[in-house]
Amino acid sequence: MPNPHDFHSPQPSYTRDELLRSSEGGYFGPGNAQLPAPPMLMMDRITEISLDGGEFGKGHIVGELDIAPGHWFFDCHYHGDATMPASLGLDAMWQMVGYWLGWSGSPGKGRAIGVGEVACTGEVTPNAQRVRYEVSMRMVRRGKLVLGIADGRVLADGVCVFTARDMRVGLTKAVE
């Protein structure tokens, strides 16, 4: 598998255009991590990413999504009582863990493989302005198996509405 750093020099933040390029594949090299394309791309930017930050000092990533009342999920989730599905917040954080693994130099395609604990303490409505995802890496295993385990939280306009512990993302080799 190609080394992601042969194709991409890590940056401390990413714009929407850069995230969209990642969704096209090959950003970290052929067969390596990529983000999903819209509408499943659940962030507009990555504002922070590091190898040693976060709650556990093992790396972190922060992403943001600007909320617009016309987002696709508001039209189909609880018709007449629009909210962003909590599952999309979890998926956004899984996306970020996979992206972090590629960004940090591990080859392979990211796949969500589990989560330990999820708690919903609020909701994201069309009245919100911005969602912020904050993810702290708890453990990273590199070798034959690449595995990232992280904790995260989702904030709507600065208020925590969702937490997840022990989110697990593995990197798999491309199927030929």
Side-chain angles (χ1 to χ4, degrees), residues 24 50 65 69 78 82 101 120 125 129 132-133 153 175-176:
E24 295 168 0
S50 76
L65 175 68
Y78 299 131
L101 289 169
C120 299
T125 69
Q129 298 294 306
R132 179 178 167 100
Y133 310 105
R153 63 188 196 148
V175 178
E176 311 247 340

Side-chain angles (χ1 to χ4, degrees), residues 11 25-26 33 61 68 77-78 92 96 99-100 123 135 137 139 149 152 154 167 172-173:
Q11 302 170 193
I61 184 169
H77 191 248
Y78 299 131
M96 292 169 60
Y99 190 88
W100 186 93
E123 57 190 15
V135 175
M137 302 303 296
M139 185 190 87
I149 300 176
V154 177
M167 295 178 289
T172 64
K173 292 185 178 184

Side-chain angles (χ1 to χ4, degrees), residues 150-175:
D151 289 357
R153 63 188 196 148
V154 177
L155 298 99
D157 295 335
V159 176
C160 185
V161 296
F162 180 86
T163 60
R165 292 185 38 84
D166 295 324
M167 295 178 289
R168 294 178 298 282
V169 174
L171 296 186
T172 64
K173 292 185 178 184
V175 178

